């Protein structure tokens, strides 16, 4: 991608409306543009990040045994009348009427719809367990949309739904998702702490939120410092093993960690004082076990092994995919801009040609750019070096290849790592080898 041809608009000024750093940087780096309150266009760079985040989520859901499908954004009110949530959901639900005066809505979540879909096909215990998910836009008419995509009205969510024959089975499904979430956030360079949470309008009595610690977070949290030191990268649990999932769950939940709504002063007092941490965090995921809250009223039942009808036990599991983009920036930035982890960067490499028109610079820059056709941007603009450095730092490409006339004459390239600031001067061949690795 050549910057002279790209639609990658950056802003020099800090937009006045943005109160937190991720919102400011998302606007300045040209990732999003607000179109109305809480509703955003994802510009090319932002859309690429969102796709990377979605892909990691997808891979880890698939690994855990969930299967992807795609349900619509628009739902019929009739579905929600069956579960009783049509009235309960209140003003957060965007209600729509079609040309036949039929009440419709823009889905804020899909428990009813997935239960109805599954019910059309599931007849016996052999159809269980199953876990189905999609990555789809949601709409919640939030009272106070704010902080950009952090709390939007239209936002992208991954929502999974599990169906099991027994309570024990449903708990195993819940633990599989918990482990999948820890792996997912780890791959994005985030430390997410699972915390006991309130179930709100989704319901049920077992629920965990996944919290990224950040001063700008909207949730107040209380946790044992030991929770932060668990190394999930080193842990290798088997999703199919009940014992492994139990062990993983125990490890993740054995230390005190709760959101404000679930905070228990008596249990808190038992945590050694030196280990008590209190702070703010961003909720990037939320999982629920709610038994038969939807399967029962929606009429889902299957024949058990003994021929008796059984109402499946369910859970639902959400990840705020678009919110994650903002959360990753909150965790990885400096004064100059974004520092994307490799796994989610819109492009992995920026090739900065400091003197377009200089034959040696052009030749080196073209070679590097051509070596990574989908993963490199080439700054071939007739701009000052300072402008190129500033934009590359702002947009946060994990690697920069800096090509100036002096180095180029000697066939040398400077590589800069955005995350650490580390720099190295290499021959073209060594630079290509380093980047390919
Ligand atoms: C779980 C999946 C649910 O909706 N039903 C299906 C359950 N849970 S939740 O906690 O309400 O939402 C899941 C995650 O979505 C993100 N999220 C938001 N992101 C941006 N803007 C919003 N207004 C917003 N509301 C929820 C959060 O990351 C949440 O954990």
């Amino acid at each position: 991608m050549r910057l002279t041809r790209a639609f990658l608009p950056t802003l020099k000024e800090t937009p006045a409306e943005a109160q937190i750093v991720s919102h400011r940087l998302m606007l300045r780096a040209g990732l999003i543009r607000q179109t109305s309150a809480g509703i955003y266009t994802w510009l090319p760079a932002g859309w690429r990040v969102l796709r990377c985040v979605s892909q990691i989520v997808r891979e880890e859901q698939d690994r855990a045994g969930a299967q992807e499908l795609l349900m619509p954004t628009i739902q019929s009110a009739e579905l929600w009348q069956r579960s009783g949530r049509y009235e309960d959901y209140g003003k957060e639900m965007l209600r729509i009427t079609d040309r036949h005066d039929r009440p419709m809505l823009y889905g804020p979540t899909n428990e009813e719809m997935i239960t109805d879909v599954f019910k059309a096909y599931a007849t016996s215990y052999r159809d269980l367990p199953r876990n189905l998910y999609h990555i789809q836009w949601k709409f919640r008419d939030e009272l106070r949309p704010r902080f950009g995509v952090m709390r939007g009205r239209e936002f992208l969510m991954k929502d999974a739904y599990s169906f099991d024959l027994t309570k024990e089975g449903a708990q195993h499904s819940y633990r599989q998702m918990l482990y999948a979430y820890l792996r997912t956030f780890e791959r994005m360079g985030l430390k997410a702490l699972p915390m006991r949470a309130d179930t709100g309008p989704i319901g049920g009595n077992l629920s965990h939120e996944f919290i990224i610690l950040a001063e700008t977070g909207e949730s107040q949290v209380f946790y044992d410092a030991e929770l932060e030191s668990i190394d999930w990268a080193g842990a290798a649990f088997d999703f199919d093993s009940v014992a492994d999932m139990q062990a993983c769950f125990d490890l993740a939940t054995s230390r005190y960690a709760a959101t404000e709504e679930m905070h228990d002063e008596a249990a808190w007092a038992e945590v050694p004082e030196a280990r008590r941490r209190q702070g703010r965090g961003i909720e990037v995921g939320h999982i629920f076990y709610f038994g038969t809250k939807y399967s029962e009223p929606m009429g889902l039942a299957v024949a058990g092994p003994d021929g008796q009808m059984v109402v499946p036990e369910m859970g639902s599991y959400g990840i705020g995919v678009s919110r994650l983009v903002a959360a990753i920036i909150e965790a990885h930035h400096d004064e100059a801009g974004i520092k994307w982890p490799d796994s989610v960067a819109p492009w992995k490499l920026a090739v900065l040609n400091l003197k377009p028109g200089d034959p040696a610079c052009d030749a080196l820059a073209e070679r590097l750019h051509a070596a990574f056709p989908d993963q490199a941007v080439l700054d071939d603009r007739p701009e000052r070096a300072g402008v190129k450095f500033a934009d590359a730092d702002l947009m946060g490409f994990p690697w920069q290849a800096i090509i100036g006339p002096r180095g180029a004459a000697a066939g040398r390239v400077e590589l800069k790592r955005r995350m650490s600031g580390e720099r190295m001067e290499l021959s073209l061949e060594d630079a290509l080898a380093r980047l390919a690795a």
Side-chain angles (χ1 to χ4, degrees):
M1 174 67 59
R2 288 166 200 279
L3 284 194
T4 50
R5 309 289 299 272
F7 188 64
L8 294 174
T10 56
L11 304 176
K12 266 181 217 71
E13 319 73 43
T14 298
E17 77 269 27
Q19 299 166 31
I20 62 171
V21 67
S22 59
H23 189 194
R24 282 199 288 276
L25 288 173
M26 288 186 80
L27 294 169
R28 284 192 55 213
L31 304 182
I32 54 167
R33 179 171 174 81
Q34 184 177 312
T35 57
S36 46
I39 304 181
Y40 292 84
T41 291
W42 290 79
L43 299 171
W47 177 236
R48 285 180 71 105
V49 177
L50 196 60
R51 285 201 329 231
C52 289
V53 171
S54 302
Q55 186 55 28
I56 293 174
V57 169
R58 179 175 287 123
E59 285 170 17
E60 294 302 326
Q61 289 292 293
D62 292 349
R63 194 193 305 276
Q67 286 177 70
E68 187 172 12
L69 44 63
L70 183 61
M71 290 178 271
T73 53
I74 305 291
Q75 308 187 19
S76 145
E78 187 267 327
L79 266 181
W80 287 65
Q81 281 155 352
R82 278 198 258 157
S83 73
R85 273 208 295 185
Y86 190 59
E87 303 308 325
D88 297 353
Y89 221 92
K91 281 198 187 283
E92 275 204 8
M93 180 183 277
L94 180 65
R95 294 155 209 261
I96 309 165
T97 310
D98 74 6
R99 67 194 298 161
H100 306 293
D101 276 336
R102 277 191 285 257
M104 313 285 288
L105 56 99
Y106 195 121
T109 177
N110 288 61
E111 279 81 5
E112 286 80 357
M113 188 178 272
I114 194 73
T115 306
D116 195 54
V117 169
F118 192 67
K119 181 190 158 181
Y121 305 101
T123 56
S124 97
Y125 67 94
R126 288 187 212 90
D127 298 318
L128 302 173
R130 293 290 187 278
N131 187 329
L132 302 170
Y133 76 96
H134 69 166
I135 300 177
Q136 178 62 293
W137 295 92
K138 304 288 185 284
F139 195 95
R140 293 182 184 174
D141 204 350
E142 301 275 351
L143 186 58
R144 263 187 294 143
R146 55 183 186 157
F147 304 154
V149 299
M150 195 71 97
R151 178 168 297 281
R153 293 200 296 168
E154 188 184 56
F155 61 97
L156 190 59
M157 190 199 287
K158 183 286 300 180
D159 36 327
Y161 304 87
S162 64
F163 300 88
D164 278 272
L165 198 63
T166 62
K167 283 196 173 56
E168 294 67 39
Q171 276 156 7
H172 177 64
S173 298
Y174 184 93
R175 294 171 192 145
Q176 286 178 317
M177 283 293 110
L178 185 129
Y179 181 43
Y181 277 33
L182 293 169
R183 295 180 52 104
T184 301
F185 301 130
E186 175 105 31
R187 280 182 63 184
M188 297 171 190
L190 295 175
K191 188 144 206 96
L193 306 177
M195 306 207 174
R196 275 308 289 263
D198 188 25
T199 57
I202 307 294
N205 49 28
L206 174 60
S207 165
H208 285 87
E209 278 179 19
F210 291 76
I211 300 283
I212 310 292
L213 298 172
E215 272 159 36
T216 52
E218 292 187 288
S219 316
Q220 179 71 28
V221 296
F222 302 80
Y223 63 99
D224 182 335
E226 279 202 342
L227 191 59
E228 278 185 281
S229 59
I230 303 175
D231 176 20
W232 291 104
F237 295 104
D238 176 359
F239 278 109
D240 291 327
S241 155
V242 172
D244 269 26
M245 288 302 102
Q246 175 81 60
C248 170
F249 181 82
D250 290 346
L251 182 59
T253 61
S254 57
R255 317 249 182 352
Y256 187 88
T259 59
E260 197 168 25
E261 301 79 33
M262 296 297 283
H263 185 49
D264 173 357
E265 283 295 344
W268 185 233
E270 282 169 31
V271 178
E273 195 161 352
R275 290 187 354 216
R276 280 184 226 157
R277 297 282 185 283
Q278 217 184 110
R280 301 196 69 81
I282 303 165
E283 176 201 330
V284 290
H286 198 162
I287 60 178
F288 303 82
Y289 164 61
F290 44 68
T292 59
K293 172 170 177 187
Y294 301 92
S295 43
E296 168 94 57
M298 306 285 299
L300 169 63
V302 300
D306 57 0
Q308 295 278 320
M309 295 308 278
V310 180
V311 179
E313 294 277 325
M314 292 177 59
S316 74
Y317 315 92
I319 290 183
V321 178
S322 46
R323 175 178 289 182
L324 268 171
V325 176
I328 293 167
I329 297 172
E330 289 290 331
H332 299 289
H333 68 271
D334 61 14
E335 311 73 52
I338 302 169
K339 304 201 280 189
W340 291 119
D342 294 303
S343 59
V344 298
W347 287 272
K348 313 306 172 206
L349 169 69
V351 180
L352 310 187
N353 183 348
L354 300 187
K355 201 167 182 201
D358 175 283
C361 286
D362 289 353
L364 272 186
E366 293 294 335
R367 278 282 303 280
L368 271 165
H369 182 225
F372 306 98
D374 318 315
Q375 288 305 336
V377 297
L378 171 59
D379 193 345
D380 55 347
R381 297 173 300 171
E383 292 280 359
R384 286 181 297 111
V387 171
K388 299 190 181 202
F389 293 142
D391 276 347
D393 279 354
L394 172 62
M395 288 192 270
F397 310 104
W399 290 95
Q400 295 172 15
I402 300 158
I403 299 169
R406 247 208 280 125
R412 297 186 77 77
V413 177
E414 186 183 18
L415 286 189
K416 174 179 154 183
R417 202 73 170 114
R418 178 72 177 95
M419 192 66 90
S420 62
E422 184 195 350
R423 289 166 185 271
M424 49 209 121
E425 213 197 270
L426 302 171
S427 67
L428 176 66
E429 283 64 39
D430 289 347
L432 283 169
R434 186 68 214 263
L435 291 167

